[in-house]
PDB file of all heavy atoms in Angstrom:
ATOM      1  N   CYS A  37     -71.264  24.712  30.420  1.00  0.00           N
ATOM      2  CA  CYS A  37     -71.959  23.653  29.609  1.00  0.00           C
ATOM      3  C   CYS A  37     -70.995  22.884  28.714  1.00  0.00           C
ATOM      4  O   CYS A  37     -71.137  21.713  28.417  1.00  0.00           O
ATOM      5  CB  CYS A  37     -73.074  24.372  28.703  1.00  0.00           C
ATOM      6  SG  CYS A  37     -74.467  24.984  29.612  1.00  0.00           S
ATOM      7  N   ASP A  38     -69.928  23.548  28.281  1.00  0.00           N
ATOM      8  CA  ASP A  38     -68.951  22.957  27.419  1.00  0.00           C
ATOM      9  C   ASP A  38     -68.111  21.919  28.182  1.00  0.00           C
ATOM     10  O   ASP A  38     -67.680  20.953  27.615  1.00  0.00           O
ATOM     11  CB  ASP A  38     -67.990  24.081  26.909  1.00  0.00           C
ATOM     12  CG  ASP A  38     -66.899  23.518  25.978  1.00  0.00           C
ATOM     13  OD1 ASP A  38     -67.268  22.745  25.083  1.00  0.00           O
ATOM     14  OD2 ASP A  38     -65.747  23.785  26.228  1.00  0.00           O
ATOM     15  N   LEU A  39     -67.976  22.159  29.465  1.00  0.00           N
ATOM     16  CA  LEU A  39     -67.180  21.264  30.335  1.00  0.00           C
ATOM     17  C   LEU A  39     -68.027  20.032  30.830  1.00  0.00           C
ATOM     18  O   LEU A  39     -67.493  18.961  31.077  1.00  0.00           O
ATOM     19  CB  LEU A  39     -66.669  21.923  31.568  1.00  0.00           C
ATOM     20  CG  LEU A  39     -65.602  23.054  31.333  1.00  0.00           C
ATOM     21  CD1 LEU A  39     -65.268  23.784  32.653  1.00  0.00           C
ATOM     22  CD2 LEU A  39     -64.302  22.434  30.706  1.00  0.00           C
ATOM     23  N   ALA A  40     -69.334  20.188  30.870  1.00  0.00           N
ATOM     24  CA  ALA A  40     -70.198  19.146  31.422  1.00  0.00           C
ATOM     25  C   ALA A  40     -70.108  17.821  30.636  1.00  0.00           C
ATOM     26  O   ALA A  40     -70.177  16.708  31.252  1.00  0.00           O
ATOM     27  CB  ALA A  40     -71.631  19.677  31.415  1.00  0.00           C
ATOM     28  N   PRO A  41     -70.016  17.771  29.327  1.00  0.00           N
ATOM     29  CA  PRO A  41     -70.035  16.485  28.616  1.00  0.00           C
ATOM     30  C   PRO A  41     -68.842  15.547  29.129  1.00  0.00           C
ATOM     31  O   PRO A  41     -69.085  14.342  29.165  1.00  0.00           O
ATOM     32  CB  PRO A  41     -69.790  16.843  27.147  1.00  0.00           C
ATOM     33  CG  PRO A  41     -70.423  18.181  26.985  1.00  0.00           C
ATOM     34  CD  PRO A  41     -70.082  18.838  28.292  1.00  0.00           C
ATOM     35  N   GLU A  42     -67.715  16.131  29.423  1.00  0.00           N
ATOM     36  CA  GLU A  42     -66.614  15.182  29.976  1.00  0.00           C
ATOM     37  C   GLU A  42     -67.071  14.547  31.280  1.00  0.00           C
ATOM     38  O   GLU A  42     -66.744  13.407  31.556  1.00  0.00           O
ATOM     39  CB  GLU A  42     -65.351  16.037  30.209  1.00  0.00           C
ATOM     40  CG  GLU A  42     -64.508  16.283  28.990  1.00  0.00           C
ATOM     41  CD  GLU A  42     -65.153  17.201  27.916  1.00  0.00           C
ATOM     42  OE1 GLU A  42     -66.102  17.874  28.283  1.00  0.00           O
ATOM     43  OE2 GLU A  42     -64.702  17.231  26.796  1.00  0.00           O
ATOM     44  N   ILE A  43     -67.755  15.287  32.100  1.00  0.00           N
ATOM     45  CA  ILE A  43     -68.285  14.721  33.369  1.00  0.00           C
ATOM     46  C   ILE A  43     -69.233  13.675  33.115  1.00  0.00           C
ATOM     47  O   ILE A  43     -69.329  12.607  33.712  1.00  0.00           O
ATOM     48  CB  ILE A  43     -68.762  15.873  34.256  1.00  0.00           C
ATOM     49  CG1 ILE A  43     -67.665  16.870  34.598  1.00  0.00           C
ATOM     50  CG2 ILE A  43     -69.397  15.267  35.542  1.00  0.00           C
ATOM     51  CD1 ILE A  43     -68.155  18.110  35.416  1.00  0.00           C
ATOM     52  N   LEU A  44     -70.202  13.953  32.128  1.00  0.00           N
ATOM     53  CA  LEU A  44     -71.203  12.934  31.749  1.00  0.00           C
ATOM     54  C   LEU A  44     -70.603  11.678  31.181  1.00  0.00           C
ATOM     55  O   LEU A  44     -71.089  10.598  31.426  1.00  0.00           O
ATOM     56  CB  LEU A  44     -72.232  13.631  30.801  1.00  0.00           C
ATOM     57  CG  LEU A  44     -73.100  14.776  31.409  1.00  0.00           C
ATOM     58  CD1 LEU A  44     -73.916  15.339  30.319  1.00  0.00           C
ATOM     59  CD2 LEU A  44     -73.906  14.340  32.606  1.00  0.00           C
ATOM     60  N   ILE A  45     -69.500  11.828  30.440  1.00  0.00           N
ATOM     61  CA  ILE A  45     -68.849  10.693  29.864  1.00  0.00           C
ATOM     62  C   ILE A  45     -68.252   9.819  30.999  1.00  0.00           C
ATOM     63  O   ILE A  45     -68.398   8.534  31.033  1.00  0.00           O
ATOM     64  CB  ILE A  45     -67.770  11.053  28.852  1.00  0.00           C
ATOM     65  CG1 ILE A  45     -68.389  11.698  27.607  1.00  0.00           C
ATOM     66  CG2 ILE A  45     -66.859   9.895  28.531  1.00  0.00           C
ATOM     67  CD1 ILE A  45     -67.373  12.316  26.648  1.00  0.00           C
ATOM     68  N   GLY A  46     -67.678  10.483  31.966  1.00  0.00           N
ATOM     69  CA  GLY A  46     -67.143   9.780  33.041  1.00  0.00           C
ATOM     70  C   GLY A  46     -68.256   9.069  33.850  1.00  0.00           C
ATOM     71  O   GLY A  46     -68.084   7.918  34.319  1.00  0.00           O
ATOM     72  N   ALA A  47     -69.315   9.763  33.942  1.00  0.00           N
ATOM     73  CA  ALA A  47     -70.510   9.119  34.682  1.00  0.00           C
ATOM     74  C   ALA A  47     -71.051   7.922  33.913  1.00  0.00           C
ATOM     75  O   ALA A  47     -71.426   6.936  34.533  1.00  0.00           O
ATOM     76  CB  ALA A  47     -71.587  10.157  34.936  1.00  0.00           C
TER      77      ALA A  47
END
Side-chain angles (χ1 to χ4, degrees):
C37 290
D38 180 51
L39 294 175
E42 277 72 11
I43 299 175
L44 295 177
I45 291 173

